């Protein structure tokens, strides 16, 4: 695979730099520690190689051997990390980014250099001047591809850039289920279904780690809202939690084997995530046997003894906590016998297990930045956009755009210069620069987010594909002027935007800034109007009946303009399907308003990236009463008809499904003949849903089928037991009984359905 090849080449390439890397890191460690004695290597001393260098041994054994060789101070230094923007004086090799933890050069233990990386190597508010990276579309777009190979390639691309920039721990792998359509970070996550989100995040993580660096999976768990996220106490029935958000994490860990898990800011059933024994020990260790380490979210630690005993292994961004809980207080707690010495060894063993298992220990990152093939990486970003953008409506053959159109007008959304991106720690400063950047005046995100456009002009891209047409742009600020421009054109395309950011939930699903009025005015002026939505999740569409074509472009990343142009002109077919339900109204949601503490405005100061002191603030409950019925299962249970269901998306061609039949037994599946009746190639996505008893059905499998025009294929979709089985004693146990299996083209549109009886079925860890 390409990612693995790059990693192997890099491994060879970097060995030449290793001596320098070690010696400069040694100086740093020496400065921090006061003094360091450099031990001779085993070979120099004429001894056999130590256990930790024996690559044939399991990572955990090598890690345990390393820990035995470490001093107590070295161990204590490895369990808490610095936040570079606040570290003074900064170590010589510290790059501005999210985190830095000095290593132990005499043992080859790497300095951990952490960067945010959900959508690319992040560089929020340009903390590293001039340092650009490739920006993927938002994770919702990746999820919409339903293609784990593409998720892998996106991860491999980010990992390669991170490694070349000398980062080795990526704060990636966001897999909180999008329970609330309000979620400020929904764009950073992989949708509302545990199987889809888990499979896709696992593939992404494997891609990142194919570069011999560590990826996290985050934010464990139930960090489902941004409003006062450090104080939101997510209340949920345990069985329902295990059946939903924890299922997504478990599948992601199983498939991706991330070196680290990041615990979230919020509380779950009364305990902060990062000191929640049920989450960190009962589930993660006792049930799932997870071998890597748990790092805190930045500013997410509230105690020493409780957190250490609950299972937190490393305090991140220590300057953001009220005190460095895992610094001196941990040493004191160990000395006083409140935290066993063995627990410190366990923390460090787990960190080193993640470091070794990911390949980082044996393939240290380069000491200096390496060249990056940005063109090849941009192609990955474009492919994810082309496969993940969703066609929601296409009446009267408005799309694809005819190359014969003489006059095309683009309206709004800064479509003359670029495409919108989401805000917060995932923000990439993309290759090509930032054509529009709007600082925030207030609010919890103001210190670390700006409204940022990537340099990928839809106007230029459309002009390039329609050289014979007159393609113009008007801003959309004035609906009357926009309508006049639309009236004068063959086709009008409105680019409507909805910005979302970490640390804030959106307060309405309606498009902001009078864009509904703008769309109405344009649609009234030109029957050939297209709306392209650049949103971080669902938006309401009161104008839907009056607009013939609607495209959900998400935040389409640094090649979004080019991808959109190709899709609009039909150079590539639409293949994306919604990974998240779009409601018809806010009243349909499980929580029809964003939740704030009872009695008024939330203590915003506690909600930002680094939260600081929350001791005076009181947590407040958020009731996840829908339990495991997240997203489409909620709508089904309520008998509500959404605007667009989960799994929905149109193509330019027409598929016909026939001869569907179902198989029970140990490997339940559905088989169907898919025929492409249209004149173009396209991607069909038959989806398999299963329901037991009265519970709403859930996605248990899908197949992505690319079919040339007028061809057909028999396709089998198998049931993935991880979607519905319970995890018992190290195995997935699917309870036997009657299941209603439905093959559909989305969560509500059935091709065929049948009740089958399944025997109890036990599956060992089903990786990948
Ligand atoms: C976010 C994490 C991020 C961390 C470091 C936090 O505010 O919740 O997702 O990785 O900051 O930047």
């Amino acid at each position: 695979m390409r990612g693995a090849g790059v990693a192997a080449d890099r491994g060879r390439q970097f060995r030449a730099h290793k001596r320098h890397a070690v010696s400069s890191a040694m100086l740093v460690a020496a400065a921090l520690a006061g003094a360091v004695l450099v031990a001779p290597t085993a070979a120099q001393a004429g001894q056999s190689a130590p256990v930790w260098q024996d690559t044939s041994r399991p990572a955990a054994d090598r890690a345990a051997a390393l820990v035995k060789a470490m001093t107590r101070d070295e161990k204590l230094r490895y369990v808490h990390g610095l936040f570079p923007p606040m570290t003074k004086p900064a170590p010589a090799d510290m790059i501005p980014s999210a985190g830095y933890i000095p290593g132990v050069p005499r043992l080859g233990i790497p300095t951990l250099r952490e960067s945010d990386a959900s959508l690319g190597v992040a560089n929020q508010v340009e903390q590293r001047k001039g340092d650009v990276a490739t920006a993927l579309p938002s994770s919702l777009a990746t999820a919409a591809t339903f293609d784990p190979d593409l998720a892998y390639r996106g991860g491999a691309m980010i990992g390669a850039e991170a490694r070349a920039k000398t980062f080795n721990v990526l704060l990636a792998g966001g897999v909180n289920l999008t329970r609330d359509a309000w979620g400020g970070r929904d764009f950073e996550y992989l949708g509302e279904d545990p199987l889809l989100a888990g499979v896709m995040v696992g593939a992404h993580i494997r891609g990142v780690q194919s570069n011999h660096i560590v990826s996290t999976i985050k934010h464990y768990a139930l960090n489902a809202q941004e409003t006062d996220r450090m104080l939101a106490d997510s209340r949920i029935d345990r069985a329902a939690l295990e059946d939903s958000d924890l299922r997504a994490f478990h599948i992601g860990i199983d498939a991706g084997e991330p070196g680290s898990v990041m615990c979230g800011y919020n509380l779950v059933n009364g305990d902060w995530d990062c000191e929640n024994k049920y989450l960190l020990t009962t589930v993660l260790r006792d049930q799932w046997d997870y071998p890597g380490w748990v790092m805190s979210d930045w500013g997410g630690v509230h105690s020493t003894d409780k957190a250490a005993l609950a299972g937190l292994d490393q305090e991140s961004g220590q300057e953001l906590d009220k005190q460095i809980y895992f610094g001196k207080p941990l040493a004191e707690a160990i000395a006083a016998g409140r935290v066993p010495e063995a627990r410190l060894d366990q923390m460090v063993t787990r960190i080193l297990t993640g470091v070794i298992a990911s390949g980082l220990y044996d393939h240290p990152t380069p000491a200096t930045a390496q060249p990056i093939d940005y063109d090849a990486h941009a192609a990955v970003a474009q492919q994810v956009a082309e496969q993940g953008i969703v066609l929601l409506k296409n009446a009267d053959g408005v799309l694809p755009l005819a190359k014969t159109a003489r006059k095309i007008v683009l309206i709004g959304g800064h479509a003359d210069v670029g495409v919108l991106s989401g805000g917060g720690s995932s923000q990439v400063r993309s290759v090509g620069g930032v054509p529009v950047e709007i600082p925030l005046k207030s609010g919890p995100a103001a210190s670390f987010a700006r409204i940022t456009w990537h340099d990928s002009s839809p106007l230029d891209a459309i002009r390039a594909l329609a050289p014979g047409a007159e393609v113009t742009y008007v801003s959309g600020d004035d609906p009357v002027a926009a309508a006049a421009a639309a009236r004068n054109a063959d086709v009008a395309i409105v680019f409507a935007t909805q910005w979302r950011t970490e640390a804030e939930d959106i307060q309405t699903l309606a498009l902001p800034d009078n864009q509904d009025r703008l769309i109405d005015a344009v649609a009234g002026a030109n029957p050939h109007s297209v709306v392209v939505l650049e949103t971080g999740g669902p938006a309401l569409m009161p104008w839907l009946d009056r607009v013939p074509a609607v495209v959900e472009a998400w935040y389409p990343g640094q090649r979004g303009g080019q991808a959109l142009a190709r899709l609009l002109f039909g150079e590539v077919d639409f293949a994306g399907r919604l990974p998240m339900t779009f409601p018809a109204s806010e009243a349909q949601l499980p929580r029809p308003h964003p939740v704030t503490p009872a009695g008024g405005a939330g203590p915003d100061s506690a909600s930002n990236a680094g939260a600081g002191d929350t001791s005076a603030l009181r947590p407040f409950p958020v009731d996840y009463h829908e339990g495991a019925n997240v997203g489409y299962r909620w709508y089904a249970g309520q008998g509500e008809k959404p605007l667009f269901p989960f799994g929905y998306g149109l193509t330019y061609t027409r598929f016909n499904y026939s001869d569907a039949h179902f198989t029970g037994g140990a490997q339940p599946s559905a088989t169907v003949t898919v025929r492409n009746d249209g004149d173009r190639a396209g991607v069909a996505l038959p989806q398999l849903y299963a329901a037991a008893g009265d519970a709403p059905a859930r996605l248990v499998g899908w197949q992505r089928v690319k079919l040339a025009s007028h061809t057909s294929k028999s396709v089998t979709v198998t049931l993935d037991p991880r979607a519905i089985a319970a995890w018992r004693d190290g195995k997935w146990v699917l309870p036997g009984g009657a299941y209603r299996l439905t093959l559909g083209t989305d969560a509500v549109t059935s091709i065929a359905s049948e009740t089958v009886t399944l025997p109890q079925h036990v599956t060992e860890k089903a990786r990948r």
Side-chain angles (χ1 to χ4, degrees):
M1 221 168 280
R2 196 184 153 277
V6 169
D9 288 350
R10 284 181 190 286
R12 276 192 292 278
Q13 192 183 337
F14 294 153
R15 265 188 284 280
H17 295 280
K18 200 173 156 192
R19 186 187 303 263
H20 172 66
V22 169
S23 57
S24 64
M26 276 174 188
L27 293 175
V28 173
L32 286 171
V36 156
L37 291 177
V38 180
T41 65
Q44 282 164 343
Q47 301 151 358
S48 61
V51 170
W52 61 81
Q53 284 174 7
D54 182 351
T55 52
S56 68
R57 301 243 194 174
D61 292 358
R62 298 174 65 193
L66 269 173
V67 170
K68 282 209 182 76
M70 290 170 80
T71 67
R72 201 143 172 281
D73 278 355
E74 286 168 344
K75 293 182 219 170
L76 280 166
R77 273 202 304 274
Y78 219 46
V79 296
H80 57 98
L82 299 157
F83 182 53
M86 291 171 75
T87 304
K88 294 211 176 50
D93 69 340
M94 180 187 266
I95 326 173
S97 74
Y100 176 99
I101 298 145
V104 185
R106 72 182 181 88
L107 296 170
I109 294 175
T111 293
L112 302 182
R113 304 158 74 83
E114 300 169 323
S115 173
D116 278 297
S118 293
L119 311 174
V121 180
N123 187 6
Q124 313 93 359
V125 296
E126 212 180 3
Q127 40 181 336
R128 295 184 304 283
K129 286 277 168 238
D131 185 21
V132 295
T134 303
L136 285 181
S138 55
S139 301
L140 278 178
T142 295
T145 70
F146 279 69
D147 184 350
D149 289 343
L150 259 186
Y152 176 94
R153 291 183 54 206
M157 179 280 284
I158 297 174
E161 290 196 3
R163 191 177 171 97
K165 290 173 188 291
T166 75
F167 291 115
N168 55 23
V169 177
L170 296 198
L171 315 175
V175 72
N176 299 88
L177 295 184
T178 54
R179 282 178 178 263
D180 274 316
W182 313 106
R185 287 185 104 165
D186 284 358
F187 73 92
E188 253 190 89
Y189 300 141
L190 291 150
E192 66 195 23
D193 179 75
L195 180 65
L196 177 67
V199 165
M200 297 299 276
V201 85
H204 182 91
I205 290 165
R206 264 193 301 121
V208 170
Q209 295 196 156
S210 68
N211 295 280
H212 299 317
I213 58 176
V214 173
S215 174
T216 62
I217 189 168
K218 68 186 187 182
H219 310 86
Y220 184 70
L222 212 59
N223 189 169
Q225 76 169 51
E226 292 300 294
T227 308
D228 292 302
R229 58 184 172 163
M230 310 220 41
L231 297 171
D233 180 3
S234 306
R235 299 283 174 91
I236 189 167
D237 170 75
R238 270 193 188 178
L241 178 61
E242 289 182 24
D243 196 15
S244 53
D245 291 66
L246 295 187
R247 189 181 285 284
F249 272 97
H250 193 187
I251 295 171
I253 289 172
D254 198 26
E257 301 183 317
S260 181
V261 171
M262 186 194 294
C263 47
Y265 280 137
N266 55 295
L267 303 87
V268 167
N269 294 334
D271 280 325
W272 265 292
D273 275 2
C274 292
E275 56 183 44
N276 193 312
K277 193 164 189 175
Y278 162 73
L279 287 177
L280 302 188
T281 297
T282 310
V283 174
L284 193 63
R285 308 293 178 179
D286 300 346
Q287 291 180 18
W288 298 352
D289 208 14
Y290 174 67
W293 87 98
V294 176
M295 67 167 73
S296 72
D297 200 342
W298 272 236
V301 185
H302 303 271
S303 62
T304 299
D305 299 13
K306 187 173 177 187
L309 295 173
L312 178 66
D313 300 308
Q314 192 179 54
E315 177 182 15
S316 311
Q318 61 189 34
E319 292 92 335
L320 295 167
D321 288 323
K322 189 180 167 198
Q323 55 174 298
I324 305 174
Y325 290 103
F326 277 18
K328 212 161 150 241
L330 181 61
E332 285 164 6
I334 293 170
R338 298 195 310 274
V339 172
E341 179 96 41
R343 176 65 188 117
L344 175 64
D345 286 354
Q346 185 184 51
M347 292 172 176
V348 182
T349 306
R350 288 169 170 175
I351 301 173
L352 291 172
T353 299
V355 164
I356 293 168
S358 67
L360 171 59
Y361 185 81
D362 299 318
H363 305 272
T365 31
T368 54
Q370 305 293 303
I372 291 172
D373 185 350
Y374 283 122
D375 287 344
H377 291 179
V380 179
Q382 182 163 337
Q383 209 184 348
V384 175
E386 288 177 357
Q387 300 299 309
I389 290 175
V390 182
L391 180 61
L392 295 176
K393 182 174 178 186
N394 189 19
D396 313 327
V398 168
L399 294 178
L401 297 177
K403 289 223 164 161
T404 49
R406 305 304 332 147
K407 284 187 168 185
I408 303 174
V409 62
L410 275 53
I411 299 166
H414 295 290
D416 52 337
V417 290
V419 292
L420 185 61
S421 61
S425 56
S426 66
Q427 181 76 60
V428 177
R429 287 195 86 79
S430 57
V431 181
V434 170
V436 183
E437 187 172 37
I438 305 168
L440 303 180
K441 293 199 184 73
S442 59
S447 65
F448 71 113
R450 298 174 189 152
I451 310 176
T452 304
W453 269 255
H454 293 309
D455 176 17
S456 177
S457 157
L459 180 64
D460 290 350
I462 288 175
R463 279 184 176 151
L465 291 189
E470 184 193 318
V471 189
T472 52
Y473 173 78
V474 296
S475 80
D477 293 344
D478 175 359
V480 176
R487 202 169 292 119
N488 193 27
D490 299 326
V491 183
I493 310 173
V494 182
F495 288 78
T497 58
Q498 169 215 58
W499 188 66
R500 299 197 188 205
T501 181
E502 176 180 339
E504 296 176 18
D505 292 316
I506 56 169
Q507 300 300 307
T508 170
L509 297 188
L511 291 172
D513 306 325
N514 274 326
Q515 292 179 97
D516 287 338
R517 247 188 77 214
L518 171 70
I519 295 169
D520 263 329
V522 171
N526 190 328
H528 298 126
S529 293
V530 179
V531 173
V532 173
L533 294 162
E534 291 174 25
T535 67
L540 299 178
M541 303 177 208
W543 32 259
L544 188 60
D545 288 345
R546 296 184 288 284
V547 173
V550 183
V551 171
E552 176 54 67
W554 313 111
Y555 302 137
Q558 116 184 7
R559 280 285 181 92
Q562 291 90 334
L564 272 167
R566 274 167 49 79
L567 286 162
L568 292 172
F569 279 102
E571 300 228 328
V572 54
D573 188 30
F574 282 94
R577 306 293 194 280
L578 293 181
M580 194 177 173
T581 308
F582 276 36
S585 75
E586 293 171 347
Q588 288 186 328
L589 302 173
R591 280 157 295 285
H593 308 282
V595 179
T596 55
D604 277 355
S605 58
S607 314
N608 62 14
D613 183 3
T614 50
S615 53
L617 305 168
R618 285 229 307 279
F620 62 95
V622 183
D623 184 12
Y624 290 96
H625 57 87
E626 74 279 19
N629 289 341
V630 183
Y632 60 91
R633 304 184 76 216
W634 164 257
Y635 291 81
Q638 299 295 302
E640 292 280 353
K641 188 171 179 299
L643 192 61
F644 295 110
F646 174 88
Y648 170 87
L650 302 174
T651 66
Y652 281 142
T653 190
R654 290 188 319 279
F655 293 107
N656 175 289
Y657 299 87
S658 58
D659 304 328
H661 54 276
F662 297 85
T663 313
Q667 282 235 306
S669 65
T671 300
V672 67
T673 301
V674 188
R675 201 175 66 230
N676 180 352
D677 281 343
D679 294 329
R680 312 170 51 100
V683 174
L685 196 94
Q687 301 154 37
L688 184 62
Y689 293 84
D694 292 338
R698 68 196 328 165
L699 182 73
V700 294
W702 68 88
Q703 269 297 330
R704 223 173 166 269
V705 196
K706 186 154 187 168
L707 275 182
S709 150
H710 301 293
T711 60
S712 67
K713 192 173 178 181
S714 172
V715 177
T716 296
V717 187
T718 47
L719 180 150
D720 187 330
R722 294 174 300 177
I724 44 177
W727 180 254
R728 297 283 174 265
D729 300 327
K731 296 181 179 64
W732 294 103
V733 180
L734 181 76
Y739 287 82
R740 183 100 193 135
L741 297 185
T742 302
L743 197 59
T745 53
D746 58 49
V748 304
T749 311
S750 162
I751 298 165
S753 195
E754 191 175 308
T755 298
V756 295
T757 302
L758 305 183
Q760 173 167 316
H761 178 55
V762 178
T763 314
E764 299 283 338
K765 242 176 167 5
R767 290 197 191 284
R768 284 158 205 182

